[in-house]
Amino acid sequence: MEEVQTLLDSRLADVRLEFGIARAEVAHAAIARAQAEQMSAIVATLREAREFPELYVGPTQIGPTAVEFAERAAIADLAVRLNLAESTVRAQACEADTLRTLTPMLWDSFRDGQVSAANASTVASLCIGLTDAACQTFEAELLHPAASLAPARFRAMARALRERLVAEPPTERHERAAEGRRVILEPDLDGMAWLHAYLPADAAQRVWHNLNRMAQRLGKAKGETRTMGQRRADVAVDLLAGVLGAEGAVGVTVGVTVPVLTLLGGDEPAILEGYGPIDAETARRLAAHAPSFYRILTHPVSGTVLDIDRSKYRPPADLKRMVGIKDVVCSFPGCGRPARECDIDHIVAWADDGTTAETNLASLCRHHHRLKHETNWTVECTQGVSTWTSPTGAIRTSDPPPF
Ligand SMILES: [Zn+2]
């Protein structure tokens, strides 16, 4: 009897296992279908916006740029409704267009749930720049693998195939890639951040050798205890922050907001402008004697600004800085552009009796600043909270500050 029960239990476990796997497979295909559906819907919405810009742009704003601004307003509208970045909405629209026109069979497999969104995205990003004939070969050879390979393996295969099919000579491809050179700052944990530079390989090698040479020289100094990696990082900071006086270097100042009790030895973290919370000890060091930083003292309970280092900043600049520090990023919902790269916008226009006071000023990136003025997006502000209404009636408040 006991044996029968054990056999039954194990058979039931088999059935449950198969059921679980089947559910996962069905859901996986449903995700791909839903993703394709979302992308199609975005394309359709943006087409409407371009065809009927008056849905997004007011009668006084209709002009030669109305179509462009209607599309921008529609993208922002979809982004806040779907809680996506505007760049994601735009990318999904592009991806759907590319797949539909250049690789229609693959687009159909994606819509049927046979190809994952990740693999479809790989195809869309890699078939741009191929000739029509190359694109057909690309699609034919990838149709089956797209439905059967995991994303990393599929991407590697698709990239190798593209290398064989691409007509553009390597020199020209490099020139195009080099136009995308840039430096990126990425916050990390524990008061640290990454500074990435995407550079032509020869430039990166020159930088690397120079850092090595200088770090090696420092290593010969008596009493030097830093590792090679630490010295290299320190040399890079000195060079890039202008301490070593490279040609064209300009001194920069960065705000550090310190609760007053922290300055006196407390543990409350301070805020480094453009980064976020940093530890109290670092904050005290910066506030006391680092020339490239200016300090803003805040009240221990309310957090309001008590004092700002006026020896370094004039009042209008102070105000701009305070708005920048209050907002951290652009005040449009979902936008992550740092406040220091934003315009300062009068929420209630100066012409409508809006004042130049901190409560009536908000950071808005150039893109969202223009959206506010050129389209039917509107904003209201009560007690420091901005509420945005989209041209189609979606209502969102500004995101809460991240700290
Ligand atoms: Zn913005």
Side-chain angles (χ1 to χ4, degrees):
M1 192 62 203
E2 212 170 274
E3 272 171 24
V4 173
Q5 188 61 44
T6 313
L7 193 64
L8 200 62
D9 281 351
S10 111
R11 285 277 155 81
L12 279 173
D14 272 351
V15 171
R16 282 199 301 271
L17 196 68
E18 265 175 47
F19 183 57
I21 292 167
R23 274 173 63 203
E25 285 173 340
V26 168
H28 185 69
I31 288 170
R33 283 197 299 274
Q35 182 69 40
E37 171 62 13
Q38 178 179 312
M39 288 161 68
S40 303
I42 288 172
V43 169
T45 307
L46 297 187
R47 196 186 310 122
E48 293 296 332
R50 283 192 301 269
E51 248 170 69
F52 303 99
E54 63 274 17
L55 294 170
Y56 290 92
V57 174
T60 58
Q61 297 147 334
I62 291 281
T65 55
V67 171
E68 184 198 332
F69 275 106
E71 186 180 66
R72 287 196 203 181
I75 287 173
D77 187 28
L78 285 163
V80 300
R81 285 176 183 272
L82 303 174
N83 291 327
L84 291 173
E86 283 173 44
S87 54
T88 307
V89 174
R90 194 179 278 279
Q92 288 195 2
C94 282
E95 224 168 75
D97 270 338
T98 305
L99 290 172
R100 237 174 15 175
T101 50
L102 298 181
T103 57
M105 288 184 292
L106 200 126
W107 170 245
D108 285 344
S109 299
F110 176 35
R111 297 192 69 180
D112 289 344
Q114 292 159 30
V115 168
S116 69
N119 287 357
S121 181
T122 294
V123 171
S125 67
L126 293 178
C127 67
I128 291 168
L130 293 179
T131 61
D132 285 353
C135 223
Q136 278 178 13
T137 313
F138 191 64
E139 180 180 31
E141 291 202 23
L142 290 181
L143 202 53
H144 186 67
S148 58
L149 291 182
R153 180 60 67 86
F154 178 70
R155 191 168 177 79
M157 183 191 167
R159 283 177 62 169
L161 177 61
R162 187 182 196 278
E163 283 298 313
R164 280 196 279 122
L165 295 173
V166 77
E168 195 181 15
T171 312
E172 283 162 35
R173 267 191 280 157
H174 170 70
E175 274 169 18
R176 199 161 32 77
E179 282 180 11
R181 65 190 178 275
R182 58 194 176 273
V183 176
I184 294 170
L185 182 67
E186 183 197 351
D188 205 323
L189 299 175
D190 304 327
M192 301 295 280
W194 289 97
L195 186 69
H196 308 275
Y198 177 61
L199 301 171
D202 59 321
Q205 283 298 328
R206 282 207 325 267
V207 170
W208 184 244
H209 283 306
N210 197 32
L211 286 179
N212 278 331
R213 208 163 41 90
M214 294 175 81
Q216 268 158 2
R217 205 183 300 154
L218 280 179
K220 290 183 187 137
K222 219 174 148 200
E224 176 62 59
T225 56
R226 291 174 295 176
T227 65
M228 182 67 182
Q230 289 167 340
R231 293 198 300 273
R232 217 184 267 130
D234 295 346
V235 168
V237 170
D238 286 350
L239 285 173
L240 292 174
V243 177
L244 295 185
E247 203 173 325
V250 280
V252 287
T253 49
V254 178
V256 54
T257 307
V258 191
V260 72
L261 292 180
T262 300
L263 205 62
L264 300 172
D267 291 334
E268 198 65 21
I271 304 290
L272 180 63
E273 183 187 5
Y275 175 78
I278 53 170
D279 66 283
E281 193 52 52
T282 305
R284 278 193 288 276
R285 183 166 55 76
L286 297 180
H289 37 240
S292 314
F293 293 85
Y294 70 97
R295 84 179 178 224
I296 300 137
L297 286 183
T298 57
H299 189 275
V301 180
S302 66
T304 50
V305 175
L306 294 174
D307 181 44
I308 200 157
D309 197 346
R310 282 178 201 275
S311 62
K312 289 179 189 155
Y313 275 83
R314 295 180 304 279
D318 281 352
L319 196 62
K320 188 167 186 250
R321 278 300 169 99
M322 276 170 67
V323 172
I325 285 162
K326 178 189 74 167
D327 285 343
V328 187
V329 291
C330 166
S331 64
F332 189 87
C335 183
R337 189 166 292 275
R340 67 182 302 161
E341 294 168 20
C342 289
D343 298 335
I344 298 291
D345 177 53
H346 283 75
I347 299 165
V348 178
W350 193 77
D352 299 328
D353 291 338
T355 56
T356 303
E358 190 202 333
T359 47
N360 190 44
L361 296 175
S363 302
L364 270 186
C365 70
R366 187 57 53 89
H367 166 63
H368 289 122
H369 203 167
R370 296 195 69 184
L371 216 54
K372 181 189 158 189
H373 290 294
E374 309 275 349
T375 75
N376 288 347
W377 271 96
T378 57
V379 61
E380 274 177 21
C381 188
T382 40
Q383 292 167 346
V385 179
S386 317
T387 303
W388 289 84
T389 305
S390 87
T392 62
I395 296 172
R396 293 287 186 284
T397 54
S398 292
D399 303 322
F403 32 79

